[in-house]
Amino acid sequence: MGVKLYGHPMSSCTVRVMACLYEKGVEFELVPVNMFAGEQKMPDFLAKNPFGKIPVLEDGDLTIFESRAITEYISKKYHAPATDDLLRSDSPEESIAVRVWVEVESHHFQPAMSPIIFQHFVAPLQGKAPDQAIIDDHLAKLAGVLDVYEARLGKTKYLAGDFFSLADLHHFPYMFYLMKTPWAAAVTDRPRVKAWWEGMCGREAFKKVAEGMKFEK
Amino acid sequence: MGVKLYGHPMSSCTVRVMACLYEKGVEFELVPVNMFAGEQKMPDFLAKNPFGKIPVLEDGDLTIFESRAITEYISKKYHAPATDDLLRSDSPEESIAVRVWVEVESHHFQPAMSPIIFQHFVAPLQGKAPDQAIIDDHLAKLAGVLDVYEARLGKTKYLAGDFFSLADLHHFPYMFYLMKTPWAAAVTDRPRVKAWWEGMCGREAFKKVAEGMKFEK
């Protein structure tokens, strides 16, 4: 039994996991879950993830949900010497730095970014007008977060240090979508954040996953 | 140089780390940060954590922020055979289960709970009336999360398995505060969640940390 990923190539959390699978060169089958038909709330899917969210990874007998737990699992289990160690497990200092910046993405970047992407791309698909007040409020929060990143990236090449890690990878989906909005200047006005982002865009794994990232029903 | 924790015994994130330090029997100095005076936004503190949030842990030359990164660091570095291995590092299956439920706390439990605790306890300290609409909205979200926990705890004694782990520990501060609100029934109406919570309350580390958990200026 191979690796199966239940998800959707448009979903940010699915993309996060796909980027990691491509980085590690893991062959997998993407099993599409039709979010618009609510398949993730059906009993079959709830048996895999009781929270009714994509993605879910199945690897043999193991079923894992929560995208950031899945990427950690993949990074550990499928680490191959020819690929970057995304967790920096050999160094206690580097591995804790990765953990800190993984948490920063979860608790600062994602809460600022997610409502912007939702309002701009998802609300219209649901027949609703984007709420500009919500967007503006979160753009202000995002600016604060990216100011910290700009300073940080003056000291280290990537967020956790001079190495690409899971902390950078986790940012890929929301960064990619932000660049398709009218507010890409949040990135391009900050030279180090811009260079960090452009460097990430050059990675083969990200090019591959970007192909499916189109908001449409 | 010993372990220094910059924070406040009332802050949920500080409490999360203190509970972990007590669990592992680590001696530490709590360096108080006056949140109401905005000390966490002053240059001295921003040099430790550029996001201006407590807590921050200093251990020798190492400075770590983000409470859930700090607890992972403590659990790894200060693991003593006489204490529970909060990460279950010896078992790939158990350690990934811990990671999944740590993520659940971060991305489901905490976003539902945090606005309830903020509105009920913190808003009045800031001279504002609690917003009952926000509380009600998040109580409904919390009910959905705790329904999943109730089902889960019918299969395993703790969230990640039949062992106490970081995934359980991370819930302590918000659970403790919820029980002091008029909405404790969210817990007591769910027999397995109630038993899980009462079991945790019996832990010496939690009894110790609970002593300082009073919302007051």
Side-chain angles (χ1 to χ4, degrees), chain A residues 164-206:
Chain A
F164 176 76
S165 78
L166 221 46
D168 307 293
L169 182 145
H170 284 181
H171 288 77
F172 178 72
Y174 281 126
M175 287 290 288
F176 181 88
Y177 284 132
L178 180 75
M179 299 310 285
K180 308 283 179 199
T181 72
W183 309 292
V187 172
T188 54
D189 283 353
R190 293 177 172 84
R192 291 168 192 144
V193 173
K194 180 171 181 273
W196 168 72
W197 170 242
E198 286 171 354
M200 286 213 284
C201 287
R203 299 184 75 87
E204 289 307 316
F206 289 177

Side-chain angles (χ1 to χ4, degrees), chain B residues 1-9 14 17-18 21-22 25-33 48 55-60 70 74 78:
Chain B
M1 270 207 311
V3 173
K4 275 188 189 177
L5 181 66
Y6 296 81
H8 193 291
T14 304
V17 172
M18 286 172 69
L21 287 162
Y22 287 135
V26 182
E27 287 195 25
F28 67 99
E29 177 193 353
L30 180 66
V31 184
V33 176
K48 299 182 199 303
V56 166
L57 187 94
E58 283 181 354
D59 189 3
I70 301 174
I74 296 164
Y78 291 100

Side-chain angles (χ1 to χ4, degrees), chain A residues 35-72:
Chain A
M35 298 184 286
F36 296 103
E39 278 181 10
Q40 74 279 21
K41 304 291 180 192
M42 299 303 213
D44 273 8
F45 192 84
L46 289 174
K48 299 184 198 303
N49 178 359
F51 292 98
K53 301 260 183 191
I54 55 171
V56 166
L57 187 94
E58 282 182 354
D59 189 2
D61 292 336
L62 211 55
T63 302
I64 312 172
F65 54 91
E66 287 297 316
S67 65
R68 295 167 186 86
I70 301 174
T71 58
E72 177 157 330

